[in-house]
Amino acid sequence: MIIQKTENSRISTFDPNNFSFGNTFSDHMIICEYENGKWGDVKLVPYGPLLFTPAMMGVNYGQACFEGMKAYKDNNGQVFLFRPEKNFERINKSAKRLAMPEVTEEIFLDGLKALVDIDREWIPQGEGNSLYIRPLIFATEEALKARVANKYMFAIVATPAKMYYTEPVSVKISDHYSRAASGGVGSAKAAGNYAASFYPTQLAIDEGYDQIIWTDDATHEYFEESGTMNVFVRINDAIFTPPTSEKILDGVTRDSFIALAKKRGFEVKVEAIKVKDVIEAQKNGTLKEVWGVGTAVVTTVFQALGYNGEKLELPRLSDEESFAVTLKNDLVNLQTNLSEDPFGWRVLVDHALETV
Amino acid sequence: MIIQKTENSRISTFDPNNFSFGNTFSDHMIICEYENGKWGDVKLVPYGPLLFTPAMMGVNYGQACFEGMKAYKDNNGQVFLFRPEKNFERINKSAKRLAMPEVTEEIFLDGLKALVDIDREWIPQGEGNSLYIRPLIFATEEALKARVANKYMFAIVATPAKMYYTEPVSVKISDHYSRAASGGVGSAKAAGNYAASFYPTQLAIDEGYDQIIWTDDATHEYFEESGTMNVFVRINDAIFTPPTSEKILDGVTRDSFIALAKKRGFEVKVEAIKVKDVIEAQKNGTLKEVWGVGTAVVTTVFQALGYNGEKLELPRLSDEESFAVTLKNDLVNLQTNLSEDPFGWRVLVDHALETV
Ligand SMILES: Cc1ncc(COP(=O)(O)O)c(C=O)c1O
Ligand SMILES: Cc1ncc(COP(=O)(O)O)c(C=O)c1O
């Protein structure tokens, strides 16, 4: 790895109690370029702009996929990643579906650890705080031809993140728009999937909802995901979540929730969720909770479901009654080294590079 | 418009008889930036790189759409665009679906004309030659949050294009992969749609085909498009093409073919095309032609259809017998000012800017 430390650290300008998530960038970034059929050197360099023309294939033909993950600092200042190998596997799955070159462990995991190590001062301490990390691969070749590109960049950038104060939200069950086609790229973390979701989400917001529950595009009879989260439904004391498929992103948080729920002895059913069954459960009072899970917010609890022009309210449970909140706390405690790690999910980031 | 002519024209390095399509760029480009809710000045500047970081939202969340169009030089050196208002309308339709700001006529059409005017020496003369023009809009804001961006760039870049020598090709009728979801972004020229198509196309190539005929994702029983072209089927002497929909790109070439076919008195049926009916017509000998149309190649004639593991051959028609070739010639003659223009499709590009 080629390491070029910044000579102008911005860390003194960073106030962990007052920063804006998503556009405050840490001092460094990882970049690695692919050309002539192979990846070059992994470079750790100061975060900053690179030269691209508007003919860059990544923005013309959408060959671009990404990951979203976090680094956490415990009360002693130790830094941990959470299941990074899952994101490594998934970015390569996404890359494959988009006909892009896969990255090696050395590029992804070593790059990740080096960046988090050198920029560890950018990780805010305290409940709900973390460093949000964005690995991505995108086509950099300049060419106006709709074909697989020959040049790519792998990059990792990072932004400090704080607790989202997530009020319970209202979600609309989609009856027209959809996120993924059968035989499409829904299971890839493809850049284009996100742009496709913005307009329908905006329409749902205009109708008084916060987000969408995506349903299958052919019939809109089955739950798929919600916003950029996987979805869970609790009927009586059983938890349901749809199986992953080519239309559903295989979320790390979803997988972790399932394992944590089983560990607690909750009944977990990974099976197709029919909209009709959820509506019926709401009407007969057996629907206890519906929530979304993902790296960014961990959990968002839904307070109402929009369906067929009706806004169906969900029960307001206390934190103790709520499976969503119980599991969220289990997960956060594990991620931030406040609890044991029976699954071996935490990965300590060593002090390998002298800090800036 | 702000005009900054290049002081280092590369036109002397451009050999119209020997250049590579798609990565030879003309001297200039148009750029226009969107910020604080409005578009800024349209600028004509030397083609070249701009500064973007890997946190650019266009490559992270795929808010990016484009157009593909051509400028033609007639035998007298006059330069024409072809139905540019169609591309103007379509880029705004794409932008809307991707929750991006629409551009004005002044930005799109005036920018286009200025670029083609100033770079007119980059348009190769002669049959099949043209300047391929790429207008695009992409999110430029740097932020790691899956939401609508606040900053965008509109750009136009151009590359000289020559005749594709299109041998008849074999196409596989897709029975698993698909291009567009119901309620998705198939009718938008969204960057992400192209990346999504590369891997399935590669698999079809591995099976001995050149391209895919996309079918509906729910049942794979209906034709949608082929590669990046709209599709036509001729059974006996009737021409069929599917109606445009939210899953099908509303192609300018398709629309022009329909008008030209009607003008010739051909029977044109804009209706759903069932895979089953096409296969049956092939078996009973009534299937005469299947072809794709689009700006880049104008027409690609299909010689075989792959279906259910079988390769079904199509008749080899002479140019005179072929409706595809007849209509292609009608279109090319109109585009290059070799025939009358009863539809008012050609737009002359005036000498408004002193050439470099
Ligand atoms: C579409 C979509 N679904 C689900 C998730 C949740 O995945 P993870 O738990 O790995 O963050 C994400 C990403 O955050 C997503 O973008
Ligand atoms: C998916 C797709 N379908 C059809 C077409 C044909 O459209 P047009 O005739 O406007 O070039 C294109 C673009 O060229 C395309 O990308």
Side-chain angles (χ1 to χ4, degrees):
Chain A
M1 192 176 315
I2 295 171
I3 294 178
Q4 186 199 333
K5 284 191 201 174
T6 183
E7 290 175 1
N8 299 296
S9 172
R10 289 173 278 103
I11 191 71
S12 64
T13 68
F14 171 57
D15 175 357
N17 298 309
N18 183 24
F19 65 91
S20 123
F21 168 70
N23 44 25
T24 301
F25 297 98
S26 71
D27 273 333
H28 298 89
M29 63 183 181
I30 294 287
I31 56 173
C32 183
E33 290 183 84
Y34 181 94
E35 203 171 343
N36 301 320
K38 60 179 195 300
W39 289 104
D41 290 323
V42 183
K43 296 178 191 163
L44 191 156
V45 298
Y47 173 83
L50 304 163
L51 295 167
F52 300 114
T53 79
M56 189 229 277
M57 292 178 84
V59 290
N60 281 269
Y61 305 114
Q63 270 191 303
C65 61
F66 67 96
E67 275 304 321
M69 50 201 306
K70 285 179 173 173
Y72 307 88
K73 193 175 271 179
D74 75 5
N75 293 331
N76 301 318
Q78 291 191 104
V79 172
F80 297 93
L81 292 166
F82 182 71
R83 308 184 78 183
E85 72 289 351
K86 292 290 251 182
N87 301 91
F88 168 62
E89 281 162 24
R90 192 168 64 187
I91 203 169
N92 280 340
K93 194 174 144 192
S94 299
K96 187 171 176 199
R97 180 60 184 82
L98 299 174
M100 298 166 76
E102 297 177 33
V103 288
T104 61
E105 255 188 61
E106 189 206 333
I107 296 172
F108 188 97
L109 293 172
D110 294 355
L112 182 67
K113 285 174 196 163
L115 179 66
V116 172
D117 181 14
I118 203 164
D119 281 348
R120 60 174 67 231
E121 288 185 61
W122 289 89
I123 311 174
Q125 222 158 3
E127 201 191 330
N129 293 337
S130 62
L131 183 71
Y132 180 84
I133 306 164
R134 166 61 48 83
L136 74 156
I137 312 176
F138 58 103
T140 53
E141 187 185 351
E142 286 168 42
L144 302 179
K145 253 183 159 173
R147 58 151 170 80
V148 171
N150 292 316
K151 293 184 194 170
Y152 297 87
M153 177 173 282
F154 169 75
I156 313 180
V157 293
T159 180
K162 52 196 159 195
M163 177 96 81
Y164 275 79
Y165 286 99
T166 45
E167 288 293 301
V169 301
S170 299
V171 291
K172 179 180 166 156
I173 299 175
S174 189
D175 51 13
H176 174 71
Y177 289 101
S178 51
R179 213 199 131 252
S182 294
V185 296
S187 67
K189 223 166 147 70
N193 289 344
Y194 297 82
S197 73
F198 295 158
Y199 178 73
T201 302
Q202 196 51 56
L203 293 180
I205 289 169
D206 293 346
E207 283 183 60
Y209 297 96
D210 301 284
Q211 230 162 67
I212 287 179
I213 292 189
W214 301 107
T215 49
D216 68 295
D217 79 308
T219 68
H220 298 290
E221 285 176 14
Y222 294 91
F223 275 26
E224 288 187 341
E225 304 194 40
S226 177
T228 58
M229 298 182 291
N230 292 108
V231 67
F232 283 82
V233 170
R234 170 178 166 199
I235 295 177
N236 289 322
D237 281 348
I239 300 175
F240 296 79
T241 192
T244 55
S245 73
E246 63 175 1
K247 300 202 284 176
I248 294 182
L249 195 83
D250 187 355
V252 180
T253 318
R254 171 188 176 280
D255 186 75
S256 306
F257 260 66
I258 293 172
L260 290 166
K262 287 185 179 161
K263 181 156 176 290
R264 277 203 175 257
F266 294 162
E267 185 183 6
V268 183
K269 297 190 172 183
V270 177
E271 55 188 62
I273 299 178
K274 277 200 144 167
V275 174
K276 195 165 62 58
D277 294 346
V278 175
I279 302 303
E280 202 176 287
Q282 193 274 345
K283 306 255 173 193
N284 69 28
T286 55
L287 183 67
K288 300 294 184 225
E289 295 181 79
V290 184
W291 71 90
V293 306
T295 295
V297 288
V298 190
T299 296
T300 300
V301 173
F302 303 154
Q303 68 177 17
L305 305 177
Y307 181 66
N308 257 347
E310 257 191 291
K311 204 164 192 164
L312 308 168
E313 299 290 329
L314 282 154
R316 295 274 192 153
L317 304 183
S318 68
D319 284 3
E320 291 68 38
E321 291 168 324
S322 167
F323 285 6
V325 174
T326 302
L327 295 170
K328 175 182 180 161
N329 290 338
D330 286 354
L331 181 59
V332 170
N333 288 339
L334 195 159
Q335 286 169 330
T336 55
N337 199 22
L338 290 170
S339 69
E340 289 303 298
D341 178 17
F343 305 101
W345 285 343
R346 277 194 303 260
V347 175
L348 180 72
V349 179
D350 286 324
H351 278 275
L353 301 164
E354 191 193 334
T355 49
V356 278
Chain B
M1 194 177 310
I2 295 170
I3 295 178
Q4 185 199 334
K5 284 191 201 172
T6 182
E7 290 174 0
N8 299 297
S9 172
R10 288 172 279 104
I11 190 71
S12 64
T13 67
F14 171 56
D15 176 357
N17 299 309
N18 184 23
F19 65 90
S20 121
F21 168 71
N23 44 25
T24 302
F25 297 98
S26 72
D27 274 332
H28 297 89
M29 64 183 182
I30 294 287
I31 55 172
C32 183
E33 290 182 84
Y34 181 94
E35 203 171 343
N36 300 321
K38 59 179 196 300
W39 289 104
D41 289 323
V42 183
K43 297 179 189 162
L44 190 157
V45 298
Y47 174 83
L50 305 163
L51 294 167
F52 299 115
T53 78
M56 189 227 277
M57 292 178 83
V59 290
N60 281 270
Y61 306 113
Q63 271 192 302
C65 62
F66 67 97
E67 276 303 322
M69 49 200 308
K70 285 178 173 173
Y72 306 89
K73 194 175 268 178
D74 77 4
N75 293 332
N76 301 317
Q78 291 191 103
V79 172
F80 296 94
L81 292 166
F82 181 72
R83 309 184 77 182
E85 72 289 351
K86 292 289 251 183
N87 300 90
F88 168 62
E89 281 163 24
R90 194 169 62 188
I91 202 169
N92 279 340
K93 195 174 142 190
S94 299
K96 187 171 175 198
R97 181 59 183 84
L98 299 174
M100 299 165 74
E102 299 177 33
V103 288
T104 62
E105 254 188 62
E106 189 206 334
I107 296 172
F108 188 96
L109 293 172
D110 295 355
L112 182 66
K113 286 174 196 163
L115 179 66
V116 172
D117 181 15
I118 203 164
D119 281 348
R120 59 174 67 230
E121 289 184 60
W122 289 89
I123 311 175
Q125 222 159 5
E127 202 190 330
N129 292 337
S130 63
L131 184 71
Y132 180 84
I133 306 163
R134 166 62 47 83
L136 73 156
I137 312 175
F138 58 102
T140 52
E141 187 185 350
E142 285 167 45
L144 302 180
K145 253 183 159 172
R147 58 150 170 81
V148 170
N150 292 316
K151 294 184 193 170
Y152 297 88
M153 177 173 282
F154 169 75
I156 313 180
V157 292
T159 179
K162 51 197 161 195
M163 177 94 81
Y164 275 79
Y165 286 100
T166 44
E167 288 292 302
V169 301
S170 299
V171 291
K172 178 178 168 159
I173 299 176
S174 189
D175 52 12
H176 174 71
Y177 289 102
S178 51
R179 210 197 136 255
S182 295
V185 296
S187 67
K189 226 168 146 66
N193 290 344
Y194 296 82
S197 73
F198 295 157
Y199 177 72
T201 303
Q202 196 51 55
L203 293 181
I205 290 169
D206 293 346
E207 283 184 60
Y209 297 96
D210 301 286
Q211 230 160 67
I212 287 179
I213 292 190
W214 301 107
T215 50
D216 67 294
D217 78 308
T219 67
H220 299 291
E221 286 176 14
Y222 294 92
F223 275 27
E224 288 187 341
E225 306 193 41
S226 178
T228 58
M229 299 182 291
N230 292 109
V231 67
F232 284 83
V233 171
R234 173 180 165 196
I235 295 178
N236 289 321
D237 282 349
I239 299 174
F240 296 80
T241 192
T244 55
S245 74
E246 62 175 1
K247 300 203 282 176
I248 295 182
L249 195 82
D250 187 356
V252 179
T253 318
R254 171 187 176 279
D255 187 75
S256 306
F257 260 66
I258 293 171
L260 291 166
K262 286 185 178 161
K263 182 157 176 290
R264 278 203 175 257
F266 293 162
E267 186 182 5
V268 184
K269 296 190 172 182
V270 177
E271 54 188 62
I273 299 178
K274 275 201 146 167
V275 174
K276 194 164 64 58
D277 294 346
V278 175
I279 301 303
E280 200 176 288
Q282 193 273 346
K283 305 255 172 191
N284 69 27
T286 56
L287 183 67
K288 300 293 184 224
E289 295 179 80
V290 183
W291 70 91
V293 306
T295 296
V297 289
V298 190
T299 296
T300 300
V301 173
F302 302 154
Q303 69 177 14
L305 306 177
Y307 182 66
N308 257 348
E310 258 190 292
K311 204 164 191 166
L312 309 168
E313 298 290 329
L314 283 154
R316 294 275 193 154
L317 305 184
S318 69
D319 284 3
E320 290 69 36
E321 291 168 323
S322 166
F323 285 6
V325 174
T326 302
L327 294 170
K328 174 181 183 161
N329 291 338
D330 286 355
L331 180 59
V332 170
N333 288 338
L334 195 158
Q335 286 168 329
T336 55
N337 199 21
L338 290 169
S339 69
E340 289 302 299
D341 177 17
F343 305 101
W345 285 343
R346 277 194 302 262
V347 175
L348 181 71
V349 178
D350 287 325
H351 278 275
L353 302 166
E354 193 194 332
T355 49
V356 276

